[in-house]
Amino acid sequence: MAAAPVWSVDPRTGKQRERVADEATAADVDAAVEAAHLALPALADRVARAAFLRAAAQRLEADGERIIAAADAESALGLPRLTGELGRTVGQLRAFADEVEDGGHLDVIIDRADPAGAPPRPDLRRYKLPIGVVAVYAASNFPLAFSVPGGDTASALAAGCPVVVKAHPDHPATSQLCAAALRAAAADTRLPEDVVSVVHGFEAGVELVRHPRVSAAGFTGSVKGGRALFDAAAARPRPIPFHGELGSLNPVVVTPAAAAERAEQIGEGLGGSMTLGTGQFCVKPGLVLVPDGADGDRLLAALSGALRATAPGHLLDDRMRDAFLAGTAGRARLASVATPVAAGTGEDERTVRPGLFAVAAADLGAEHELLFEECFGPVTVAVRYTDEAEAEAVLGRIEGSLTATVHLAADEAAGGGAARLVARLTALAGRVLVNGWPTGVAVAPAQHHGGPYPATTSTSTSVGATALERWLRPVVFQDTPEALLPPELHDANPLGLPRRIDGVREQPAADRGARGPAAG
C-alpha cells in the first residue's frame, strides 16, 4: 500500500497548498530512531552542543522570512505574532546554549569518604547523564516555539539527547523548513544531521512512543491524544517517562474589592487575554469567578463590550473550528447558563466570533461538568459568586491547571484573606499570577510551565532553563578510583563545573566552564 500523502492546508480557505511529504511507515520511524541512537555519542561534547544550538538559532533567523510565511499560511496566526514566536524560539535555543556552557544542569555533588562518621560514609560522586533518544510531539497552536525547533527539542538537545519529532499535521511545511534548518546547523558544527529528524502521520506517533530505542517523550496537545500516548508509554515492556501537557482551564478569581476598584480595567484585560491568538493559547483563562452585584455587572459589561469589538478570527483547522462550535453550543444548552455574548461563526463562516457564558455559582450542579472542561478557542465562563464559601465550592471542582490568577485590590495584598486565596490557587496550578493575565509565558530560568494533572503528566516544566532536567538521569559512583571516573567528577574539576562538595557549593572561576575538555 502506498504511503498516504501529507498536505499543507490553508485554514483561511480550507484548500490544500502543497504536498509536503508522505506519512512515515513503521520502517521509516525505526530508521529515524536508530539513526538518532547512533548520533547520541556525538552530543556528549558540551562545547559542540552549545555551538550547535547557537548555529540552529542562526539558521532559523537566516531563513526566517520563508519560515514565517509558511507558518502563517498553515496557521492563520498572522505575521506579527509569528515573528515574535520565531524570536522566542531562537532566544530559547541560545538560552539553552548558555545553560550547557554553565554546566549546572549536570548537578555535580561530591561527598568525600568519612570513615569516622556514624555510620561511616563511602566516597560518593553524583552527576547526570542524557537519558537517550527523545520523542517530541509538536503542538498545533505554536508552529515554532512548541514544534520542531521548540522548547522540547531545544531542551532535549541541550541535555545531550537526539530528537525525533512527530510533526503536527496542521503545519507540515513549516516543520520541514525548521527541520532542514536544524539539520543544517548540525552539519555546520560537525555533528550528525540525525541528531534531529522529523516524521509525519498519526501511526508514526504511535510507533514512535513504542520504539524500544526511545527513552522519553514530550507532548503538547489534547487530553485525549496525550493520555493515549501516556498510557502507551507506561504499557511498554520498558516504560518510559512521558512529559505531556494536556489540558488546562486556567481559573481566574476576582475579589469583590478588586471589582469595586477597577471593574472595567479587569473586564477589558480579560477580553484581550481570552481572545489572544483567537483563544488558542494553552493558558487562556477559561473560567472566571466574578463577584455578584453591581461591580461584577460592570466587569462583565466591559468584558462583553471588548468581545463584541473583537474581530472574528480563524482557528487552526476545520476540526478545531467544528469542536469550538459544538462545544459552545453544548454549553449554551445547559440549564441556568446565560449567554451575554454568543460565540459562533463569522461572516465568512471560516472564522469564529468570541463568546461569554455566565452562571450563578449556586446554580452549578453535576450536569454543568462541561463548564469545567477546556474549550479551545475564544470563549470563557463567568461564575458569579456571593461569598467565600461559594467561591471555594467552585474552585473545588477545578482540576489541575497550568495557571491560576487572582485579581486583588491595592489594599488587599497584605491581608490574610489574600494569602489564603493565593495558597488555595497554588494547590491548583504550576504558575500563580496576581493582578495579571496568564497568556504570555516568559522564557526565563525561573519559569515553570506545568501543573497538576491533567495540565501535565509530570511535575516538570516545558519552558525555562529547568526544562532540560526532564531528559537527564542521575548516576552515582561509590568508592571509584579517579582514573575510572568521568572528568566531571574529578577532584581538580578540569571542566570548571559548579559543584557541591561535602555540602558546600563551589562556584568555578568565570574563565572556566565549557571551554574546558569535552564533557557530557
Side-chain angles (χ1 to χ4, degrees), residues 32-327:
V33 174
E34 290 294 341
H37 176 71
L38 291 175
L40 177 61
L43 285 174
D45 187 327
R46 282 194 299 132
V47 176
R49 221 155 67 219
F52 167 46
L53 292 169
R54 293 197 173 95
Q58 291 173 346
R59 281 281 185 173
L60 289 166
E61 285 177 330
D63 203 18
E65 185 174 345
R66 193 160 59 123
I67 290 171
I68 290 169
D72 179 55
E74 292 185 313
S75 69
L77 289 173
L79 298 180
R81 147 73 193 272
L82 291 165
T83 299
E85 188 178 332
L86 180 62
R88 168 187 172 144
T89 303
V90 300
Q92 66 189 2
L93 283 163
R94 291 183 172 119
F96 279 120
D98 292 341
E99 290 296 318
V100 170
E101 288 185 334
D102 175 77
H105 65 285
L106 298 174
D107 197 19
V108 176
I109 303 174
I110 296 175
D111 292 322
R112 296 189 178 98
D114 183 8
R121 185 180 71 200
D123 185 273
L124 300 171
R125 297 172 185 245
R126 179 187 190 272
Y127 82 141
K128 292 180 178 178
L129 291 168
I131 198 167
V133 177
V134 170
V136 169
Y137 294 81
S140 62
N141 55 341
F142 282 85
L144 304 175
F146 281 83
S147 186
V148 171
D152 282 352
T153 297
S155 60
L157 292 170
C161 297
V163 174
V164 180
V165 183
K166 206 291 281 185
H168 196 279
D170 278 355
H171 35 79
T174 308
S175 298
Q176 290 295 103
L177 288 172
C178 291
L182 296 184
R183 290 172 68 86
D188 291 342
T189 50
R190 300 187 179 184
L191 291 175
E193 291 186 2
D194 289 325
V195 294
V196 181
S197 58
V198 171
V199 294
H200 298 266
F202 175 83
E203 291 300 328
V206 176
E207 292 288 341
L208 190 55
V209 80
R210 292 174 175 167
H211 197 287
R213 294 282 197 195
V214 169
S215 298
F219 171 90
T220 302
S222 68
V223 173
K224 181 180 179 181
R227 185 53 195 256
L229 290 170
F230 175 72
D231 291 347
R236 291 169 37 135
R238 180 174 64 87
I240 60 172
F242 184 90
H243 302 283
E245 179 190 324
L246 309 187
S248 185
L249 196 60
N250 306 302
V252 177
V253 179
V254 181
T255 67
E261 182 180 84
R262 56 184 197 284
E264 288 79 11
Q265 179 185 343
I266 294 172
E268 292 170 2
L270 174 58
S273 182
M274 60 167 280
T275 60
L276 188 65
T278 321
Q280 297 173 112
F281 277 51
C282 50
V283 290
K284 179 206 73 177
L287 185 144
V288 187
L289 279 156
V290 178
D292 202 16
D295 295 325
D297 292 344
R298 289 193 295 121
L299 189 157
L300 292 188
L303 171 58
S304 297
L307 297 182
R308 293 189 186 100
T310 300
H314 293 86
L315 294 182
L316 293 162
D317 60 31
D318 289 352
R319 178 179 55 83
M320 292 182 190
R321 187 182 73 250
D322 292 344
F324 172 76
L325 295 175

Side-chain angles (χ1 to χ4, degrees), residues 371-397:
L371 299 179
F372 293 90
E373 298 177 8
E374 180 183 21
C375 185
F376 198 66
V379 67
T380 199
V381 177
V383 178
R384 307 297 299 272
Y385 70 98
T386 58
D387 56 29
E388 188 174 331
E390 282 192 348
E392 171 57 34
V394 175
L395 292 175
R397 294 182 63 174

Side-chain angles (χ1 to χ4, degrees), residues 482-501:
E482 184 162 277
L484 303 180
L485 287 170
E488 291 87 350
L489 300 179
H490 287 189
D491 280 332
N493 197 10
L495 306 180
L497 297 170
R499 309 186 300 179
R500 192 173 75 197
I501 300 180

